[in-house]
Amino acid sequence: MTKQEKAAQILSDPRNQQEEIKALQDTIYVIGGKWKLPIINSLCNGNRRFRDIERSIPGITTRMLSRELKEMEANQLLKRTVTPNSPVLVEYTVTDYCQSFGDIILEMIKWGKKHREKIRTV
Amino acid sequence: MTKQEKAAQILSDPRNQQEEIKALQDTIYVIGGKWKLPIINSLCNGNRRFRDIERSIPGITTRMLSRELKEMEANQLLKRTVTPNSPVLVEYTVTDYCQSFGDIILEMIKWGKKHREKIRTV
DNA sequence: CATTTTGGTATACTCTATGATACTGGTAAC
DNA sequence: GTTACCAGTATCATAGAGTATACCAAAATG
């Protein structure tokens, strides 16, 4: 790299890029893993009860669902409401804060469909 | 659940929802993990060479970068070009196929920034 | 000529995210 | 009175994601 190139690189605001990468890594940290986005998606699709969510996500186990729900509740991505009727009713709903993942999830669903097409036709 | 509710649920096209969840899971499978999205982001920001990418992503090791690049090349998310000049030049670029993650990444960066604000002010 | 840079590979290790399976206590349905 | 549903817990096991560190050969830099 010449001195000119070095100067150009420094001038292109690397600090900003570093911050963006860190923001990206933060998000990945919060919603990363196999299950969190599918759970949010399921909740957004109207599932509110434990077994309904479980049934709506192929492959998930009660253990993972339980853990993820707890963690996401702690991170204020969703809310757990208990109604103490004769059969106790437990319901999960996404918070506004979490709604903002809607767009990301939709994009990822689109991509996944395209990808399946591509795999199939190759 | 009453019979009416059951019927309503069946009518709401669960097959479609199942497919969407699977598409989502596929996408997560392809770009999941700690590093793939940051790598794509780095490439989109103009980094093309191994050490540049490495330096642009805080915390990544050469080993992980090497592995991830190979895997992503195999999945056709990016292309590796070798120019046999006197110092051999190796360059990585995203494929069109991969460009489509741009929007997702931008959304995630936005969310990460908001999240940091939220954490900071609480 | 000593050091640094480039583009990685090799080896050895940790550890955590996930999986499999079983179980519980209460209610309700058959 | 047995079977099934709800909302989970408990225990144990494991693959593979990720870390740490050292190393290589060739070229450029100072």
Side-chain angles (χ1 to χ4, degrees):
Chain A
M1 196 187 289
T2 68
K3 274 181 185 174
Q4 276 187 359
E5 283 168 342
K6 256 181 196 162
Q9 199 193 34
I10 288 164
L11 287 172
S12 71
D13 199 356
R15 211 181 66 100
N16 202 358
Q17 278 189 26
Q18 284 286 315
E19 259 179 46
E20 298 205 333
I21 286 222
K22 280 178 188 165
L24 178 57
Q25 288 179 321
D26 285 352
T27 304
I28 291 171
Y29 184 77
V30 174
I31 58 163
K34 242 174 130 170
W35 303 116
K36 297 213 184 68
L37 286 179
I39 289 170
I40 294 173
N41 184 246
S42 174
L43 290 172
C44 290
N45 277 344
N47 297 302
R48 298 165 148 260
R49 307 183 56 175
F50 193 90
R51 297 294 177 196
D52 289 340
I53 302 165
E54 189 178 9
R55 271 189 295 267
S56 75
I57 302 175
I60 200 169
T61 58
T62 56
R63 178 177 185 265
M64 284 314 294
L65 180 56
S66 173
R67 288 177 56 128
E68 299 288 56
L69 286 174
K70 263 186 208 158
E71 195 181 326
M72 293 165 76
E73 194 194 351
N75 284 348
Q76 300 177 49
L77 295 181
L78 49 86
K79 210 177 41 166
R80 180 177 185 269
T81 317
V82 183
T83 312
N85 283 341
S86 51
V88 176
L89 178 62
V90 182
E91 288 186 315
Y92 295 91
T93 48
V94 296
T95 60
D96 292 352
Y97 189 45
C98 180
Q99 288 281 1
S100 43
F101 285 118
D103 292 342
I104 294 176
I105 291 174
L106 289 182
E107 288 293 321
M108 291 178 74
I109 289 174
K110 258 198 282 180
W111 196 91
K113 284 181 177 171
K114 255 195 299 182
H115 183 64
R116 181 163 300 201
E117 268 311 296
K118 181 162 182 172
I119 298 290
R120 214 171 49 75
T121 56
V122 164
Chain B
M1 196 187 289
T2 68
K3 275 180 185 176
Q4 278 189 357
E5 283 168 341
K6 256 182 196 161
Q9 199 193 33
I10 289 165
L11 287 172
S12 70
D13 199 355
R15 212 181 64 102
N16 201 359
Q17 279 189 26
Q18 283 286 315
E19 259 179 45
E20 298 206 332
I21 286 222
K22 279 178 187 164
L24 178 57
Q25 288 179 320
D26 285 353
T27 304
I28 291 171
Y29 184 77
V30 173
I31 58 163
K34 239 174 133 170
W35 303 116
K36 297 214 183 69
L37 286 179
I39 289 170
I40 294 173
N41 184 245
S42 174
L43 290 172
C44 290
N45 278 344
N47 298 302
R48 299 164 148 261
R49 307 181 56 175
F50 193 89
R51 297 294 178 194
D52 289 340
I53 302 165
E54 188 178 9
R55 271 190 295 268
S56 75
I57 303 176
I60 200 169
T61 58
T62 57
R63 180 175 188 265
M64 284 314 293
L65 181 56
S66 173
R67 289 176 53 133
E68 299 288 56
L69 286 174
K70 262 185 210 159
E71 195 181 326
M72 292 167 77
E73 195 196 350
N75 284 348
Q76 300 177 50
L77 296 180
L78 48 86
K79 210 177 41 163
R80 180 176 186 269
T81 318
V82 183
T83 313
N85 283 341
S86 50
V88 176
L89 178 63
V90 182
E91 287 185 316
Y92 295 91
T93 47
V94 295
T95 59
D96 292 352
Y97 189 44
C98 181
Q99 288 280 0
S100 44
F101 286 119
D103 292 343
I104 294 176
I105 290 175
L106 289 182
E107 288 293 320
M108 290 178 74
I109 288 174
K110 257 199 283 179
W111 196 91
K113 284 180 177 171
K114 254 195 298 182
H115 184 63
R116 182 163 300 202
E117 268 311 297
K118 180 162 182 172
I119 298 290
R120 214 170 50 73
T121 56
V122 164

